């Protein structure tokens, strides 16, 4: 019993923010690609009031640590990609392998989320705002998944399924900070788009902060 | 002359005998072309190329979107590249114009969609193909659609549109493009040629009825395809209700060559509309109407003395309903049509179709459609009455497979049967490969 208490205490202490601060940190900046022109909602044959002005997310990058890490022992938290005002929100979502993503429809019209990507091919069918349960999908293989809507051809989103628990989305200026990293030798990658992933080898030392810029 | 039928002249028609079924035509040179085999080869070539080109097409989609003035002006260019092949019994069914028993029709469709601020939307559609209704003729390029829409309120309660665009009647226009249409061909009411001849008035019931079986380009279906006629519309959404009212230069039965404002002006406009009820996203139902003169101005000299183009109307009353839920989609449309025929009377017809599509997975779907058209009788000029067309039914079955998000392959088989004494059954096999960009 005493041994169990010691182990539980150790787990609690090791997972606390104070201890995490003692682990390695990487921060830096990624040079982001230029912003793309927002899409045009095709409404030739239907009445679409909203959708005149779309504000897609500005470019961001995903920075992640590549290495061999233990698989999660517990179910990962469910993530969400909304369909609101005829766009996916967020338009780019990084998740860890084994994450389930829900796709709630917040519009007053049908959406039909589908993917032809090899790592996860699916079609959720047409569903409306009050659909219960909320349509969802488990992403159990690493890779890039392109989401589309079969009804609104301008809608596009990406899910980057990563085999690592250490990843972060940059802000719109490209700044990032990855904290709580284990010491060791790894590759630090910055994913910019389906064809561009930058990479630098890093050696992390416990309690030290590393600065990495992807130019 | 304005109307130039691709393969049959008026004089040929008036000198023709009186067949009771549409006559089989001899197989021409093109009949020896193994259209379907070529299409299968093309499918595989396109599929192989597509798997590599997927990223390229995604990038092209993005590259063909332009914006300026802080995104207040946005323009998107997109397109469809279709290759379709038909194999059929003669005479060619629907709106196909060939004396062969096979036809290959490549088609490039380019769209320009633009948004100017939140309130102004404009679009255009240009096609390069072997005719809106494909035939043996060479290639042609047309500006099929162009329109500008003004939407003053964000909730869409009012939209004003002017230009050349699809009819407000029914729901099929919204899914008539090759990427959305589960079939290669259109439903029967949108493509089955009746005995209505808009270039010349019949001199007697006898002559009108004698034309049965000679249907060619000069003869009109109840609604000619998507009917991209010219005019203006008012449309909107008020809660669960939707409405469209439009004034166009010609009737829904008018041929493609009459759709342009420069071809036929607005001396004899047609009024059409649809009132829709959408209790939720699953259901969409509505009633449509259309009323307006259907004769081309060239027919004026042949009309009875004292009458004019405006005295002979095409009237349509339609009902439509659709349902969608998850992977299932159902549609049904029913039309009662009337043509006021000079020297004959009212020629009435009912045409309907019921259609279903089910997606078996992200890529594979199947679709079935049942179509039927029934013709009423008209005075035969000898004290009796006679049907002015052959009742017919047609069953369509199709499978489609989306190779990628940009590539689709369809295969359709249709069997139709006309109620007549001679050869009333006919078959059609059609295949279509589409690349969307």
């Amino acid at each position: 019993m005493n041994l169990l208490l010691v182990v539980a205490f150790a787990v609690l202490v090791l997972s606390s923010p104070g201890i995490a601060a003692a682990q390695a940190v990487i921060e830096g900046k990624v040079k982001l690609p230029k912003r793309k022109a927002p899409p045009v909602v095709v409404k030739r044959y239907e009445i679409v009031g909203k959708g005149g002005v779309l504000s897609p997310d500005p470019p961001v990058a995903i920075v992640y640590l590549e290495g061999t890490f233990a698989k999660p022992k517990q179910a990962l938290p469910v993530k969400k990609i909304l369909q609101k005002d005829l766009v996916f929100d967020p338009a780019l979502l990084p998740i860890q392998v084994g994450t389930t993503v829900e796709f709630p429809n917040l519009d007053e019209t049908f959406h039909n989320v589908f993917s032809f990507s090899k790592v996860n091919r699916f079609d959720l069918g047409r569903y409306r705002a009050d659909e219960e349960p909320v349509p969802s999908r488990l992403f159990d293989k690493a890779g890039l998944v392109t989401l589309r809507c079969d009804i609104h051809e301008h809608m596009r989103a990406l899910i980057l399924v990563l085999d690592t628990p250490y990843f972060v989305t940059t802000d719109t200026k490209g700044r990032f900070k990855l904290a709580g990293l284990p010491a060791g030798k790894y590759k630090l990658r910055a994913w910019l788009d389906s064809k561009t992933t930058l990479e630098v080898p890093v050696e992390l030392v416990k309690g030290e902060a590393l600065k990495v810029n992807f130019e | 002359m304005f109307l130039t039928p691709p393969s049959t002249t008026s004089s040929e028609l008036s000198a023709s005998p009186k067949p009771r079924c549409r006559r089989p035509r001899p197989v021409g040179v093109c009949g020896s072309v193994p259209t379907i085999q070529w299409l299968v080869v093309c499918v595989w070539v396109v599929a192989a190329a597509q798997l590599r080109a997927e990223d390229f097409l995604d990038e092209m989609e993005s590259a063909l979107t332009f914006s300026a003035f802080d995104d207040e002006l946005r323009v998107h260019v997109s397109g469809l590249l279709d290759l379709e092949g038909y194999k059929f019994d003669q005479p060619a069914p629907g709106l196909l114009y060939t004396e062969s028993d096979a036809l290959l029709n490549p088609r490039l469709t380019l769209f320009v969609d633009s948004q100017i601020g939140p309130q102004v939307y404009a679009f255009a559609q240009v096609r390069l193909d072997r005719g809106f209704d494909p035939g043996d003729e060479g290639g042609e390029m047309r500006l099929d659609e162009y329109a500008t829409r003004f939407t003053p309120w964000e909730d869409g309660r009012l939209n004003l549109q002017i230009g050349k665009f699809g009819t407000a009647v029914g729901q099929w226009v919204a899914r008539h493009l090759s990427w959305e249409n589960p079939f290669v061909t259109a439903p029967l009411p949108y493509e089955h040629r009746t005995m209505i001849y808009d270039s010349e008035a019949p001199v007697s019931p006898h002559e009108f009825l004698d034309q049965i079986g000679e249907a060619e380009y000069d003869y009109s279906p109840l609604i000619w395809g998507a009917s991209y006629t010219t005019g203006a519309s008012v449309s909107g959404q008020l809660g669960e209700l939707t409405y469209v009212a439009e004034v166009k230069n010609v009737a829904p039965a008018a041929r493609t060559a009459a759709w342009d404002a420069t071809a036929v002006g607005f001396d004899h406009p047609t009024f059409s509309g649809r009132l829709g009820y959408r209790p939720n996203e699953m259901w969409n139902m509505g009633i449509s109407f259309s009323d307006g003169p259907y004769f081309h101005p060239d027919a004026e000299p042949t009309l009875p003395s004292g009458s004019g183009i405006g005295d002979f109307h095409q009237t349509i009353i339609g009902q439509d309903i659709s349902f969608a839920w998850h992977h299932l989609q159902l549609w049904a449309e029913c039309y009662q049509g009337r043509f006021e025929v000079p020297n004959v009377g009212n020629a009435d017809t009912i045409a309907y179709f019921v259609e279903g599509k089910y997606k078996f997975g992200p890529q594979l779907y199947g679709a079935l459609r049942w179509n039927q058209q029934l013709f009423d009788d008209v005075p035969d000029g000898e004290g009796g009455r006679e049907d002015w067309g052959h009742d017919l039914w047609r069953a369509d079955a199709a499978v489609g497979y989306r190779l990628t998000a940009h590539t689709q392959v369809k295969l359709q088989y249709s069997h139709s049967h006309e109620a007549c004494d001679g050869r009333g059954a006919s078959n059609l096999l059609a295949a279509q490969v589409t690349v969307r960009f």
Side-chain angles (χ1 to χ4, degrees):
Chain A
M1 188 65 180
N2 286 341
L3 182 64
L4 277 176
L5 282 173
V6 169
V7 170
F9 178 75
V11 168
L12 189 66
V13 168
L14 287 172
S15 60
S16 70
I19 294 298
Q23 292 180 319
V25 173
I26 306 175
E27 54 188 332
K29 195 170 180 182
V30 181
K31 188 179 179 186
L32 298 174
K34 286 182 181 175
R35 181 176 170 276
K36 291 178 179 174
V40 179
V41 180
V42 173
K43 42 191 179 182
R44 297 173 210 132
Y45 309 117
E46 63 175 326
I47 299 164
V48 181
K50 292 180 181 175
V53 177
L54 296 177
S55 300
D57 293 344
V60 289
I62 309 295
V63 179
Y64 61 95
L65 197 65
E66 191 180 77
T68 305
F69 306 106
K71 302 288 178 195
K73 291 176 181 169
Q74 296 176 337
L76 295 165
V78 173
K79 302 287 184 181
K80 287 185 182 183
I81 291 185
L82 313 177
Q83 295 132 79
K84 190 180 177 192
D85 295 336
L86 304 184
V87 292
F88 285 114
D89 181 21
L92 174 61
L93 177 70
I95 58 170
Q96 188 177 355
V97 171
T99 303
T100 295
V101 179
E102 290 184 345
F103 301 96
N105 176 3
L106 303 187
D107 283 325
E108 291 175 0
T109 183
F110 265 140
H111 285 296
N112 185 159
V113 179
F114 74 95
S115 157
F116 281 170
S117 301
K118 283 182 185 174
V119 295
N120 208 320
R121 201 166 280 192
F122 65 92
D123 186 326
L124 298 178
R126 288 164 188 253
Y127 61 93
R128 57 189 194 186
D130 53 0
E131 184 89 10
E132 287 291 342
V134 176
S136 62
R137 184 77 180 174
L138 170 68
F139 292 84
D140 54 1
K141 285 183 188 168
L144 183 66
V145 179
T146 303
L147 299 178
R148 302 167 202 265
C149 176
D150 198 26
I151 304 166
H152 307 99
E153 66 180 75
H154 69 278
M155 290 178 66
R156 199 69 49 85
L158 298 170
I159 296 179
L160 186 61
V161 188
L162 299 165
D163 209 1
T164 171
Y166 305 107
F167 56 84
V168 68
T169 305
T170 68
D171 64 15
T172 54
K173 292 182 178 173
R175 295 174 301 204
F176 71 92
K177 182 177 182 181
L178 264 174
L181 306 176
K185 290 182 178 178
Y186 303 99
K187 287 176 184 168
L188 184 69
R189 292 188 158 186
W191 183 98
L192 281 84
D193 57 44
S194 61
K195 288 190 170 174
T196 315
T197 303
L198 308 174
E199 178 185 304
V200 291
V202 292
E203 184 168 357
L204 303 178
V205 179
K206 193 174 179 181
E208 289 190 5
L210 194 64
K211 186 143 183 139
V212 177
N213 287 334
F214 292 95
E215 296 294 342
Chain B
M1 183 165 162
F2 163 68
L3 297 169
T4 308
S7 56
T8 310
T9 64
S10 300
S11 59
E12 284 172 341
L13 290 170
S14 59
S16 63
K18 305 173 182 177
R20 306 320 295 170
C21 285
R22 293 195 297 163
R23 295 180 304 175
R25 293 187 176 278
V27 174
V29 176
C30 293
S32 61
V33 177
T35 307
I36 298 297
Q37 290 93 319
W38 276 113
L39 203 66
V40 169
V41 172
C42 290
V43 167
W44 288 110
V45 171
V46 169
Q50 267 291 290
L51 292 175
R52 292 174 180 276
E54 190 63 8
D55 274 357
F56 170 74
L57 290 171
D58 267 346
E59 284 171 18
M60 192 161 93
E61 222 176 70
S62 178
L64 291 175
T65 305
F66 312 94
S67 68
F69 308 113
D70 291 332
D71 298 336
E72 284 295 304
L73 171 63
R74 285 174 286 137
V75 179
H76 179 57
V77 179
S78 58
L80 295 169
L81 184 61
D82 296 309
L83 178 63
E84 57 198 30
Y86 302 89
K87 182 88 174 169
F88 41 80
D89 297 328
Q90 275 291 336
L95 296 171
L96 301 175
Y97 296 100
T98 177
E99 294 183 356
S100 166
D101 64 354
L103 184 69
L104 190 65
N105 181 42
R107 181 190 305 119
L108 173 65
T109 310
L110 292 174
F111 303 98
V112 179
D113 295 274
S114 58
Q115 185 78 46
I116 306 156
Q119 295 175 326
V120 179
Y121 170 74
F123 67 96
Q125 180 192 165
V126 177
R127 286 191 195 177
L128 176 64
D129 55 21
R130 300 181 76 179
F132 181 87
D133 307 310
D136 289 332
E137 303 299 306
E140 66 175 39
M141 191 166 80
R142 300 177 312 280
L143 180 58
D144 273 345
E145 279 188 291
Y146 54 86
T148 301
R149 184 184 307 167
F150 177 60
T151 306
W153 290 281
E154 193 187 54
D155 61 6
R157 75 182 83 160
L158 177 69
N159 299 272
L160 306 169
Q161 182 163 301
I162 185 166
K164 181 172 179 277
F165 51 91
T167 180
V169 172
Q171 285 193 50
W172 184 72
V173 169
R175 56 189 184 91
H176 74 285
L177 297 171
S178 60
W179 191 258
E180 285 84 19
N181 184 2
F183 296 87
V184 180
T185 63
L188 200 68
Y190 293 86
E191 70 162 28
H192 179 67
R193 289 164 295 183
T194 68
M195 295 317 303
I196 294 300
Y197 180 41
D198 68 358
S199 301
E200 191 177 324
V203 296
S204 66
H206 191 68
E207 185 188 86
F208 178 66
L209 293 168
D210 275 356
Q211 295 171 357
I212 293 178
E214 292 303 304
E216 275 297 343
Y217 186 70
D218 276 345
Y219 295 88
S220 302
L222 191 60
I223 304 168
W224 197 300
S227 191
Y228 299 137
T229 49
T230 306
S233 75
V234 179
S235 63
Q237 189 166 11
L238 301 168
E240 295 170 347
L241 295 177
T242 59
Y243 67 90
V244 187
E246 65 181 23
V247 55
K248 295 288 198 67
N249 61 333
V250 288
R255 73 197 60 250
T256 58
W259 294 350
D260 279 308
T262 52
V264 176
F266 291 90
D267 293 340
H268 305 289
T270 286
F271 297 90
S272 307
R274 179 177 180 273
L275 184 63
Y277 174 58
R278 193 156 200 171
N280 55 51
E281 281 306 310
M282 290 188 291
W283 293 97
N284 189 355
M285 55 198 88
I287 52 172
S288 304
F289 74 93
S290 182
D291 184 68
Y294 67 94
F295 273 109
H296 187 271
D298 284 353
E300 184 98 50
T302 69
L303 296 175
S305 60
S307 63
I309 299 287
D311 295 324
F312 302 98
H313 283 218
Q314 178 194 10
T315 305
I316 294 175
I317 295 175
Q319 301 166 67
D320 61 73
I321 186 166
S322 66
F323 173 82
W325 183 243
H326 291 183
H327 298 103
L328 176 68
Q329 286 178 274
L330 300 170
W331 303 270
E333 297 186 16
C334 180
Y335 296 103
Q336 290 174 274
R338 166 169 290 180
F339 293 93
E340 295 172 347
V341 183
N343 303 313
V344 177
N346 293 332
D348 294 342
T349 182
I350 291 177
Y352 73 90
F353 70 90
V354 180
E355 181 178 331
K357 173 188 172 186
Y358 188 80
K359 274 201 246 180
F360 297 104
Q363 294 172 287
L364 180 68
Y365 73 79
L368 294 170
R369 184 168 63 199
W370 173 261
N371 314 259
Q372 199 164 11
Q373 185 156 10
L374 307 171
F375 294 88
D376 202 356
D377 52 26
V378 293
D380 62 5
E382 296 170 359
R385 297 186 71 85
E386 193 175 328
D387 289 353
W388 68 279
H390 300 299
D391 294 349
L392 80 156
W393 57 259
R394 192 181 81 198
D396 304 318
V399 288
Y401 191 80
R402 287 196 172 167
L403 296 157
T404 70
H406 296 275
T407 319
Q408 178 175 264
V409 181
K410 285 185 231 169
L411 190 63
Q412 175 184 338
Y413 170 71
S414 297
H415 178 79
S416 61
H417 190 272
E418 287 190 45
C420 56
D421 297 334
R423 188 184 63 90
S426 62
N427 301 287
L428 173 140
L429 188 62
Q432 186 182 59
V433 186
T434 302
V435 178
R436 184 171 75 155
F437 58 92

